[in-house]
Amino acid sequence: MMCMSKAALTGAIASLVAVFATVPAVAVNLDHVNRLLRTKECMGCDLVGADLIGADLRHANLLGADLRGAKLAGADLSHAQLSGANLRWADLTVANLTEAEMIQPHASRLGISVIRTVDPAVVVSHLTATDLRDAVLVNATLHKATLAGANLVRASLTGADLREANLTKANLRNTNLTGANFRGANLTKSYLSESNLSVADLSFTQMKGAFLMNANLDRVNLRGANLSKIYLSDSNCQRDACFPTYLNSANLQGADLRGANLRGAVLLNANLENANLYNTNLKQADLRKANLTFAYFRETNLTDANLRETILPDGRVNLSDRLGL
């Protein structure tokens, strides 16, 4: 039998403690779990760590519920009311959240007194938008879900279906969105800094005023997207101190980039055919081998941009590092 030294045992215990330190202590309230499953009405309920794998929670009212660390893999939460709910650390792998509502409750419409009828009382007088920090939403369905202002920091949404979802002002900082489908979604003024959007479908999205500093947009599809006035770099940092935003091989065909700040962005092999680049800041951008066929240039800043082997608006290949338009 293998023996473990005292030092090794101490180290192993310390490692386990470190792993579980980030997860809230679980003392499942079975009364609230049963109430939810029986009535689908559980406003402000204590559902921390609840086992709801594969549960049928269609149209459930979970306003202000505490679902931290809940197991919701494969659950059907379509049309559910999750405004103000806390879903931090929750596992929502392959869950169905089609048209679920996850926004900050409107006080004049919902009323604090209604929420206080939940027994036991839960502090919900200042509910914010749904908290999905560190949640696992891999391959989850969020089609037409309302996530305006939701907090999705560090969440995993790999392969998630977010078509036509409302993510206005949502916080998606440092979120894994690899291969996610955002087609037609509203990401106006959303925070996507340091997020991984590689291979994601962002076609025909509304992204006006979005923050994409240091985001990974490798091979992303932005066809027909509105990226006017987006921010890809911090105006207060020096180029050498900032990481560039990568749009390598990105599909920006027909994208609206009017007034966008793409300073220092890497657009190697990007497709910008028919893109609107009016007043776009491409200073110091890497546009090598990019396709600019029929792209619209007016008041575009191309200072120090690298345009070697770029396909010009008239179809010619540029053989120098600079471009005169």
Side-chain angles (χ1 to χ4, degrees), residues 92-319:
L92 289 145
T93 304
V94 202
N96 183 0
L97 289 140
T98 301
E99 296 191 50
E101 190 165 336
M102 290 171 272
I103 60 174
Q104 181 171 352
H106 194 280
S108 62
R109 177 166 61 91
L110 298 173
I112 295 170
S113 59
V114 176
I115 301 170
R116 283 181 175 166
T117 60
V118 177
D119 184 27
V122 179
V123 180
V124 288
S125 59
H126 296 289
L127 284 178
T128 58
T130 302
D131 188 346
L132 284 153
R133 286 174 294 168
D134 305 291
V136 179
L137 290 141
V138 175
N139 295 322
T141 300
L142 292 138
H143 182 216
K144 292 186 177 180
T146 304
L147 288 147
N151 191 345
L152 289 140
V153 172
R154 294 182 304 276
S156 179
L157 286 136
T158 303
D161 181 359
L162 288 146
R163 288 172 299 144
E164 300 179 66
N166 183 356
L167 290 145
T168 305
K169 295 184 179 179
N171 190 347
L172 293 144
R173 186 181 180 90
N174 202 20
T175 301
N176 188 353
L177 298 157
T178 305
N181 188 350
F182 286 91
R183 188 179 178 89
N186 188 349
L187 287 148
T188 303
K189 295 184 178 179
S190 58
Y191 293 85
L192 289 148
S193 302
E194 300 175 51
S195 61
N196 186 352
L197 284 153
S198 58
V199 205
D201 186 352
L202 287 153
S203 57
F204 307 104
T205 52
Q206 289 293 327
M207 297 184 73
K208 185 176 181 179
F211 293 82
L212 285 153
M213 281 81 82
N214 304 330
N216 181 355
L217 290 145
D218 185 35
R219 290 168 292 152
V220 70
N221 183 1
L222 283 155
R223 182 181 180 187
N226 181 357
L227 290 111
S228 59
K229 297 185 179 179
I230 61 167
Y231 297 88
L232 291 181
S233 62
D234 188 341
S235 60
N236 296 318
C237 70
Q238 299 298 317
R239 177 172 168 78
D240 293 340
C242 298
F243 294 101
T245 293
Y246 290 95
L247 284 152
N248 296 341
S249 304
N251 183 358
L252 288 148
Q253 185 179 16
D256 185 346
L257 290 152
R258 288 175 295 174
N261 182 4
L262 291 109
R263 178 176 178 175
V266 179
L267 290 142
L268 183 67
N269 288 309
N271 183 4
L272 287 148
E273 185 178 352
N274 286 308
N276 189 341
L277 296 162
Y278 174 74
N279 197 32
T280 303
N281 184 2
L282 287 161
K283 184 177 182 179
Q284 299 171 328
D286 185 350
L287 286 151
R288 286 173 297 158
K289 299 183 180 180
N291 183 2
L292 298 169
T293 306
F294 301 123
Y296 180 72
F297 284 87
R298 186 178 175 186
E299 299 181 31
T300 307
N301 187 348
L302 289 160
T303 305
D304 296 326
N306 190 340
L307 293 140
R308 180 170 288 277
E309 298 183 64
T310 298
I311 301 175
L312 304 180
D314 60 6
R316 292 180 298 112
V317 177
N318 187 50
L319 299 177

